[in-house]
Amino acid sequence: MRGEHFFRSLVQYLAVSLNVRSAFVAEFDAQRTRVRTLAVWADDSHQENFEFDIGGTPCGQVVLSGTIQHFADDVQSLFPTNDHLKELNARSYLAIPLLDDRNVVVGHLAVIDDKPMSADERELSIFHIFAARATAELVRRKAQQQLDDSLRREDRLRSERRRIEAEVA
């Protein structure tokens, strides 16, 4: 299972495993100022993907620090301008950065709940397992995109070469 279906299953099973209201996986843009979700699970169903600026969000803390961010309770008071937290009636937030092979944050996996959330050893172990698999899929997608781009460039070059050879002949 790959791509969108993989990420949809991943966030659903993560939310169920940790017994939280919402889970999502997201990737950052090249400038790492915006986030685009790849899959969202909230209120027992898949939700539409969305994009947002990371300023004033706990997601911004993930990209800035490159470390796990855990806000066990009252996360809305720490990020009062974040409308998404308000919509979810969020009280707690836990996120882990997804790091590429150069240790650059390329995305993150997050869970949000409407009750306080601990981050005990068991929960963190589960979270790390899901994050490792999400990272592997993001890296695979990036490699596939680079391969596809290379093949398209190669096809264009072949076409251009055939065109030039036809003109010369």
Side-chain angles (χ1 to χ4, degrees), residues 3-20:
E4 179 183 339
H5 296 293
F6 167 78
F7 287 124
R8 288 170 60 92
S9 293
L10 181 124
V11 296
Q12 178 181 353
Y13 292 125
L14 178 62
V16 170
S17 295
L18 296 179
N19 191 30
V20 294

Side-chain angles (χ1 to χ4, degrees), residues 3-169:
E4 179 183 339
H5 296 293
F6 167 78
F7 287 124
R8 288 170 60 92
S9 293
L10 181 124
V11 296
Q12 178 181 353
Y13 292 125
L14 178 62
V16 170
S17 295
L18 296 179
N19 191 30
V20 294
R21 182 173 179 194
S22 176
F24 67 91
V25 62
E27 63 184 350
F28 294 106
D29 65 2
Q31 297 76 31
R32 297 185 329 176
T33 59
R34 290 188 60 77
V35 169
R36 182 176 66 88
T37 61
L38 302 170
V40 179
W41 177 263
D43 299 324
D44 296 322
S45 66
H46 293 286
Q47 306 294 314
E48 292 292 320
N49 285 318
F50 55 93
E51 291 187 33
F52 59 95
D53 290 324
I54 63 170
T57 70
C59 301
Q61 298 296 312
V62 175
V63 75
L64 290 174
S65 71
T67 61
I68 292 176
Q69 295 296 303
H70 178 228
F71 302 98
D73 199 3
D74 205 23
V75 68
Q76 284 189 55
S77 69
L78 299 170
F79 302 94
T81 61
N82 188 319
D83 292 333
H84 188 66
L85 294 175
K86 291 176 189 170
E87 289 170 18
L88 289 171
N89 194 29
R91 287 192 57 191
S92 55
Y93 174 97
L94 176 63
I96 188 169
L98 305 178
L99 305 170
D100 68 11
D101 56 352
R102 297 168 301 162
N103 267 351
V104 174
V105 178
V106 293
H108 71 299
L109 183 61
V111 294
I112 300 171
D113 208 354
D114 56 1
K115 60 188 180 301
M117 182 189 333
S118 67
D120 64 25
E121 188 176 323
R122 177 195 160 276
E123 290 166 333
L124 288 176
S125 293
I126 291 170
F127 211 49
H128 278 284
I129 291 166
F130 278 83
R133 188 56 188 96
T135 300
E137 181 61 18
L138 275 177
V139 169
R140 186 205 65 78
R141 283 174 36 142
K142 184 177 181 180
Q144 184 66 52
Q145 182 63 45
Q146 290 172 338
L147 176 61
D148 292 346
D149 292 347
S150 293
L151 292 172
R152 279 192 291 277
R153 277 193 304 274
E154 187 176 322
D155 284 345
R156 282 194 305 270
L157 289 171
R158 280 190 197 131
S159 295
E160 183 65 17
R161 181 178 175 193
R162 283 191 298 271
R163 185 189 63 77
I164 291 170
E165 288 172 349
E167 288 177 3
V168 171

